[in-house]
Amino acid sequence: MKKQFFVLLALLLALPSAFAQQYFIADKLFTYMHAGPNNTYRIIGSVNAGDKVTFISNNNGTGYTQIQDSRGRKGWVESKFVSQQESMAVRLPRIESELATVKTELEKARNTADQEQAGLISSLEARNTQIAEMEQNYSEISQKLTAAQTEVRNLTAKLDTQKEDLLLKYFMYGGGVAGGGLLLGLILPHVLPRRKKSPNGWA
């Protein structure tokens, strides 16, 4: 029975430690740890800013909190120096490290963006150059096409004129031949002597 009582007592004593929350000493170079819940008690040591401590109890009347430090010492410190948040002395290096990481990533992102922007600008300039060349080629082709169309119209007009001249020549030649034949037909009977008819009726 006594053995069970001592086991139960040991569990009850260990229970607060098992459920104890982690606290930290707030930002100050260090604070004294007293043997009792006010500064009239003797100083049993000190804890530095940022040290992790275990909360034991709180005395609202005196404004002191009982803690246990990482070395196992139990004592009282002013409650205003006990916080559930890590001290800036602990958080600041981590924040600075995170800030440096973010700055590095930001710089990489900026460099990547600059490279992509430079690539886009270069690509845009190349496209503009190609468009300018295509416009120049189109202008030259348009001019050549206009000149070719003009030449075709001139040649067509010249060909039509030559056809008309040829037809006129053919007409005049045909008319001359017909006129000459008619004239020859009229002249020849008078020029050529007539044959006398034979007594038999044959010429």
Side-chain angles (χ1 to χ4, degrees):
M1 185 68 177
K2 288 184 178 180
K3 184 177 181 181
Q4 294 178 352
F5 175 76
F6 285 118
V7 170
L8 180 60
L9 181 62
L11 288 174
L12 290 175
L13 291 175
L15 192 60
S17 298
F19 290 95
Q21 295 181 348
Q22 296 297 325
Y23 282 72
F24 301 87
I25 297 301
D27 295 316
K28 193 179 180 183
L29 292 179
F30 68 90
T31 185
Y32 291 111
M33 188 164 53
H34 296 268
N38 58 52
N39 58 4
T40 61
Y41 288 86
R42 68 183 179 87
I43 296 174
I44 60 175
S46 65
V47 284
N48 296 320
D51 284 353
K52 184 183 293 185
V53 296
T54 302
F55 175 87
I56 298 176
S57 64
N58 194 23
N59 189 322
N60 293 328
T62 61
Y64 272 71
T65 297
Q66 188 180 23
I67 60 166
Q68 181 176 345
D69 65 7
S70 58
R71 295 163 60 183
R73 298 179 302 174
K74 292 182 180 180
W76 294 80
V77 296
E78 292 184 72
S79 299
K80 64 181 180 180
F81 297 135
V82 180
S83 171
Q84 287 185 293
Q85 291 185 344
E86 289 181 325
S87 167
M88 282 302 297
V90 175
R91 285 186 291 165
L92 186 58
R94 185 167 62 244
I95 292 173
E96 289 178 344
S97 177
E98 292 174 355
L99 181 60
T101 301
V102 170
K103 285 183 177 179
T104 301
E105 293 177 354
L106 181 61
E107 186 65 24
K108 290 181 180 179
R110 184 181 292 112
N111 291 335
T112 301
D114 291 342
Q115 293 175 359
E116 291 178 353
Q117 183 179 6
L120 289 174
I121 292 174
S122 177
S123 177
L124 181 61
E125 290 177 350
R127 295 285 180 85
N128 290 336
T129 302
Q130 292 177 353
I131 291 173
E133 291 177 353
M134 292 175 65
E135 289 178 347
Q136 180 65 27
N137 293 335
Y138 175 77
S139 177
E140 293 177 357
I141 292 173
S142 297
Q143 292 176 0
K144 291 179 180 179
L145 179 61
T146 302
Q149 290 175 342
T150 301
E151 186 176 359
V152 168
R153 286 195 297 269
N154 293 335
L155 291 174
T156 302
K158 187 176 181 180
L159 182 60
D160 292 340
T161 302
Q162 290 178 350
K163 286 182 178 179
E164 292 176 357
D165 293 342
L166 186 60
L167 288 174
L168 182 59
K169 289 180 180 180
Y170 284 157
F171 178 76
M172 292 178 65
Y173 178 75
V177 171
L182 179 61
L183 183 62
L184 187 62
L186 292 175
I187 295 174
L188 284 178
H190 297 286
V191 173
L192 295 176
R194 293 184 179 181
R195 292 181 181 180
K196 293 181 180 182
K197 293 183 178 180
S198 65
N200 296 329
W202 295 93

